[in-house]
Amino acid sequence: MTEEDYKNGQVLLIDKPLTWTSFQVVNKLRWEIKQQFNLKKIKVGHAGTLDPLATGLLIICTGKQTKQINTYQGQIKEYTGTFTTGATTPSYDLETEVDKTYPTAHISESLLKETTQQFIGEIQQKPPIFSAIKKDGKRLYELARKGETTEIKTRAVTISEFEITKTHLPKVDFRVVCSKGTYIRSLAFDFGNALKSGAHLSALRRTKIGDFSVDNALSVEEFIQQLKDN
């Protein structure tokens, strides 16, 4: 692709690596495009954050396509991953240490299947305190890391599909199809509560955004190589 292609607008599908922030991916791609074409600036943005501990599909828009970011953000998303039952963490994932443990002997395949049914449709969900949502001008995770608490409002989200794909207790693999604004970490926490066993998110991969699939995404390294080969 040419300099003009990137300026006129491209939609890039990137498979976000583990531990990278979505912002780091955007910065890396912007820097590589600027270097390749000796540009002073070019607009690059992503259509929907993935947590550092998640992998999978990031839609990156360049140039004039950045105006379409909201359109991509609003599309239905699919995730796969793992809940670890029997323990909770303050962040609802592996960012923080286990704070409480619970029994898991009562968990059966039928209980897991029954419990997923409680979450299908429109549900009320409370985002995690360890999230990038802003309250009074500060991101919630900034408050959480200082040990401060704050009231977080619930929000309506829609889960259209929720299935358990493999059970290897205490770990439970799942697939979820959901609306914009759904926190899979919060789903893990709420699912654990409903099971009466506690749970936290121990792996997450975004597999689809609308009609875009991670199967068609490039790694950051593959994108850079393709950029240089042009």
Side-chain angles (χ1 to χ4, degrees):
M1 277 187 281
T2 65
E3 174 184 333
E4 282 309 304
D5 289 332
Y6 285 105
K7 284 181 176 174
N8 286 331
Q10 294 298 314
V11 176
L12 310 172
L13 305 184
I14 300 294
D15 188 347
K16 188 189 85 64
L18 190 66
T19 74
W20 283 46
T21 66
S22 303
F23 192 59
Q24 281 173 313
V25 176
V26 167
N27 274 350
K28 179 67 173 166
L29 266 58
R30 185 192 294 116
W31 190 84
E32 293 288 347
I33 293 166
K34 280 163 67 178
Q35 289 293 108
Q36 179 69 19
F37 300 110
N38 199 22
L39 298 172
K40 281 231 164 40
K41 61 178 185 178
I42 185 164
K43 282 185 179 176
V44 181
H46 68 74
T49 306
L50 271 178
D51 288 335
L53 295 178
T55 65
L57 185 59
L58 264 186
I59 293 180
I60 307 279
C61 296
T62 75
K64 291 175 184 172
Q65 272 294 328
T66 54
K67 292 175 182 171
Q68 301 302 316
I69 278 176
N70 284 347
T71 306
Y72 299 124
Q73 275 180 335
Q75 295 184 0
I76 284 176
K77 299 174 179 71
E78 180 189 78
Y79 296 91
T80 59
T82 306
F83 299 146
T84 298
T85 60
T88 56
T89 72
S91 60
Y92 304 169
D93 66 2
L94 296 175
E95 188 188 331
T96 52
E97 298 290 321
V98 167
D99 58 355
K100 289 179 189 163
T101 57
Y102 302 83
T104 57
H106 64 287
I107 298 175
S108 62
E109 291 284 350
S110 59
L111 179 63
L112 288 167
K113 195 169 182 182
E114 280 167 32
T115 307
T116 61
Q117 297 304 306
Q118 296 176 31
F119 295 92
I120 292 173
E122 187 178 290
I123 62 167
Q124 290 295 318
Q125 189 184 71
K126 189 176 281 193
I129 181 79
F130 282 81
S131 66
I133 292 170
K134 280 189 175 179
K135 185 170 183 182
D136 303 327
K138 287 197 171 175
R139 300 213 180 264
L140 290 181
Y141 64 74
E142 292 171 4
L143 300 174
R145 284 173 187 153
K146 289 179 189 168
E148 295 176 24
T149 56
T150 185
E151 187 53 40
I152 306 169
K153 289 180 180 169
T154 60
R155 50 167 73 176
V157 297
T158 301
I159 295 179
S160 46
E161 296 178 48
F162 182 15
E163 63 171 330
I164 302 304
T165 53
K166 186 180 174 188
T167 306
H168 42 127
L169 289 173
K171 296 184 183 298
V172 177
D173 292 351
F174 66 88
R175 184 183 74 89
V176 168
V177 178
C178 57
S179 65
K180 173 190 175 181
T182 304
Y183 275 90
I184 307 298
R185 285 184 285 148
S186 292
L187 181 62
F189 181 79
D190 294 341
F191 188 68
N193 272 346
L195 283 175
K196 296 186 168 51
S197 72
H200 60 278
L201 185 64
S202 48
L204 184 66
R205 183 162 176 77
R206 184 156 66 197
T207 44
K208 287 182 184 171
I209 300 173
D211 293 330
F212 298 102
S213 170
V214 74
D215 295 342
N216 301 317
L218 299 174
S219 68
V220 173
E221 292 77 14
E222 285 168 340
F223 170 78
I224 294 167
Q225 194 56 55
Q226 201 176 82
L227 185 68
K228 289 176 177 173
D229 286 348
N230 275 343

